[in-house]
């Protein structure tokens, strides 16, 4: 199914663009949502960047809309001898939208409060968040049988220093610097509840839909349980699936947790959830005297914003049918080796789930 009406152009090589009059009409009718100033989002000189909002009433309509964006990504992909512009469609299910000042907000956990951001980016190694991570790191290192601190756990990946394999001790002056030496490690921590500068996504649109149609609640024991999402599909309330169209590159990295050094035996949750991640911060580098110097800056914020929003306005029966494709017990296995080890060590900030 093609996008209808078709975009008038493709901005930055991947972003579906429409004329201003169409976008404004869509915004007034709730069929488009603002991402903020165009120059901040798309590096284009437009007053406001907006993305389409698709309201779908059946699972077939949802799948057809997803297919349209997959086809758009395929048509927009190209490769040459010196440049690979292959685009991937990724999805994120949310139980509701977050709108701040009329602008859609979709930020990783570490950037959602000023305190978390300050501790995450601080040049001091002894912030409470960094101390918490120290306990996580020791467990992850033990489960994966690697060296803690600035050893094998923090696999170094700087194209300007290909001979260096691990981060030098004491060079990681910030928590963000330590985590971004190994983007897979950052994505792994995020997936079990630790606040990082990475956003969880998946190439599986059915999984994303499940997370949109179920909402996590914390019970009296502090454990998360999922229940059907009863919110109406309004501007902020109700379920959404965000469509991300991404090009995988050093400048805008995309992490597939199932394709790296992880094994299903050590951490099963990323595999059953087909977990990918979008880092929002820089890669780390020791150049300039500290890991926080950065070598692979995410230079185009647009690459971290959704390309479209899909609002499933299903009937109760259709929603129940879509939710039945997965269960919380399946997606959050209690016998996950890493999850059990983190729980046994009573690490802070672990997202604990009801069994």
């Amino acid at each position: 199914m093609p996008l209808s009406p078709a975009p008038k152009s493709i901005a930055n090589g991947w972003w579906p663009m429409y004329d201003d009059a169409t976008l404004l009409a869509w915004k007034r009718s709730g069929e488009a949502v603002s991402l903020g100033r165009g120059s901040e989002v798309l590096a284009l000189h437009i007053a406001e960047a907006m993305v389409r909002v698709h309201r779908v009433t059946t699972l077939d309509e949802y799948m057809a809309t997803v297919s349209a964006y997959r086809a758009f990504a395929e048509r927009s992909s190209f490769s040459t001898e010196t440049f690979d512009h292959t685009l991937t469609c990724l999805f994120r299910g949310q139980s509701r939208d977050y709108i701040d000042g009329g602008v859609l907000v979709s930020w990783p956990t570490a950037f959602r409060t000023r305190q978390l951001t300050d501790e995450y980016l601080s040049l001091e190694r002894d912030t409470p968040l960094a101390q918490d991570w120290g306990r996580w790191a020791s467990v992850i290192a033990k489960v994966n049988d690697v060296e803690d601190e600035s050893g094998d756990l923090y696999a170094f990946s700087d194209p300007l220093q290909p001979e260096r394999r691990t981060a030098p001790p004491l060079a990681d002056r910030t928590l963000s610097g330590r985590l971004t030496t190994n983007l897979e490690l950052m994505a792994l921590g995020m997936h079990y509840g630790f606040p990082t500068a990475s956003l969880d996504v998946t190439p599986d649109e059915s999984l994303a839909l499940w997370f949109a149609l179920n909402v996590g609640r914390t019970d009296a024991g502090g454990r998360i349980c999922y229940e059907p999402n009863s919110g109406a599909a309004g501007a902020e309330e109700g379920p959404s699936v965000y469509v991300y169209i991404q090009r995988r590159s050093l400048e805008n990295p995309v992490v597939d947790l199932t394709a790296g050094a992880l094994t299903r035996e050590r951490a099963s949750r990323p595999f059953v959830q087909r977990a990918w991640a979008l880092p929002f911060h820089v890669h780390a580098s020791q150049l300039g005297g500290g890991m926080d110097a950065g070598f692979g800056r995410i230079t185009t914020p647009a690459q971290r914003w959704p390309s479209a929003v899909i609002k499933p306005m299903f009937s109760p029966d259709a929603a129940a049918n879509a939710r039945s494709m997965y269960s919380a017990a399946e997606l959050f296995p209690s016998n996950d080796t890493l999850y059990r080890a983190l729980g046994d060590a009573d690490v802070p900030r672990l997202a604990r789930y009801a069994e």
Side-chain angles (χ1 to χ4, degrees), residues 191-203:
H191 214 67
Y192 288 83
F194 193 84
T196 71
S198 190
L199 197 66
D200 56 318
V201 293
T202 177

Side-chain angles (χ1 to χ4, degrees), residues 7-150:
K8 70 169 187 177
S9 62
I10 302 171
N12 292 6
W14 63 277
W15 184 275
M17 288 289 293
Y18 300 87
D19 63 84
D20 291 344
T22 298
L23 285 170
L24 289 172
W26 279 343
K27 184 180 180 181
R28 285 193 292 269
S29 64
E31 296 177 80
V33 62
S34 174
L35 299 181
R37 290 166 52 89
S39 58
E40 296 170 353
V41 177
L42 284 170
L44 295 175
H45 297 291
I46 55 178
E48 187 175 19
M50 286 182 275
V51 294
R52 293 183 68 174
V53 175
H54 301 268
R55 286 181 167 80
V56 297
T57 58
T58 67
L59 184 58
D60 286 344
E61 286 183 0
Y62 171 76
M63 292 299 186
T65 304
V66 166
S67 295
Y69 281 98
R70 287 194 190 282
F72 173 83
E74 184 176 346
R75 289 195 305 272
S76 304
S77 296
F78 63 90
S79 295
T80 68
E81 291 185 1
T82 58
F83 186 71
D84 184 8
H85 189 76
T86 302
L87 299 174
T88 300
C89 258
L90 298 166
F91 307 93
R92 174 177 170 81
Q94 294 201 170
S95 60
R96 58 161 295 177
D97 297 327
Y98 294 89
I99 308 291
D100 183 6
V103 174
L104 184 70
V105 177
S106 183
W107 285 103
T109 310
F111 296 156
R112 290 178 189 171
T113 71
R114 177 62 182 269
Q115 181 177 347
L116 276 177
T117 302
D118 288 347
E119 290 190 21
Y120 185 79
L121 300 176
S122 172
L123 292 179
E124 300 296 329
R125 289 175 57 100
D126 296 327
T127 65
L129 193 62
Q131 292 173 11
D132 290 347
W133 173 251
R135 294 173 60 182
W136 279 68
S138 64
V139 175
I140 293 173
K142 184 176 181 180
V143 169
N144 287 279
D145 192 27
V146 296
E147 182 186 345
D148 197 355
E149 287 303 315
S150 290

Side-chain angles (χ1 to χ4, degrees), residues 137-218:
S138 64
V139 175
I140 293 173
K142 184 176 181 180
V143 169
N144 287 279
D145 192 27
V146 296
E147 182 186 345
D148 197 355
E149 287 303 315
S150 290
D152 293 341
L153 183 63
Y154 298 96
F156 200 62
S157 180
D158 186 340
L160 299 179
Q161 305 169 85
E163 73 286 350
R164 184 179 291 281
R165 180 174 174 272
T166 59
L170 303 181
D172 44 357
R173 295 185 295 149
T174 70
L175 176 59
S176 64
R178 270 174 276 169
L179 284 175
T180 54
T181 63
N182 183 333
L183 297 180
E184 182 180 276
L185 176 64
M186 180 170 68
L188 181 65
M190 170 269 299
H191 214 67
Y192 288 83
F194 193 84
T196 71
S198 190
L199 197 66
D200 56 318
V201 293
T202 177
D204 189 327
E205 64 273 16
S206 298
L207 273 169
L209 181 61
W210 188 92
F211 279 99
L213 296 176
N214 291 275
V215 60
R217 308 286 190 195
T218 303

Side-chain angles (χ1 to χ4, degrees), residues 182-348:
N182 183 333
L183 297 180
E184 182 180 276
L185 176 64
M186 180 170 68
L188 181 65
M190 170 269 299
H191 214 67
Y192 288 83
F194 193 84
T196 71
S198 190
L199 197 66
D200 56 318
V201 293
T202 177
D204 189 327
E205 64 273 16
S206 298
L207 273 169
L209 181 61
W210 188 92
F211 279 99
L213 296 176
N214 291 275
V215 60
R217 308 286 190 195
T218 303
D219 64 18
R223 294 179 178 272
I224 301 171
C225 56
Y226 277 92
E227 59 188 42
N229 187 352
S230 59
E236 297 183 43
E237 301 303 319
S240 287
V241 174
Y242 295 166
V243 180
Y244 291 87
I245 300 176
Q246 297 288 307
R247 181 173 72 88
R248 304 179 71 174
S249 66
L250 283 172
E251 292 77 21
N252 293 284
V254 177
V255 180
D256 177 359
L257 270 175
T258 68
L262 280 176
T263 66
R264 185 184 287 266
E265 292 73 26
R266 290 173 175 165
S268 57
R269 185 187 299 177
F271 287 86
V272 297
Q273 293 189 12
R274 295 194 64 190
W276 290 43
L278 299 180
F280 270 61
H281 198 36
V282 298
H283 289 239
S285 170
Q286 74 153 98
L287 298 181
M291 291 294 216
D292 51 304
F295 73 79
R297 292 187 178 276
I298 297 171
T299 54
T300 309
Q303 297 269 354
R304 308 285 96 158
W305 262 258
S307 302
V309 178
I310 306 175
K311 304 287 286 186
M313 302 176 65
F314 292 176
S315 68
D317 287 346
N321 181 54
R323 283 193 295 266
S324 69
M325 291 188 287
Y326 303 95
S327 69
E330 176 186 1
L331 296 176
F332 298 93
S334 59
N335 61 349
D336 181 310
T337 301
L338 178 56
Y339 175 63
R340 292 179 68 89
L342 290 167
D344 290 343
D346 196 26
V347 298

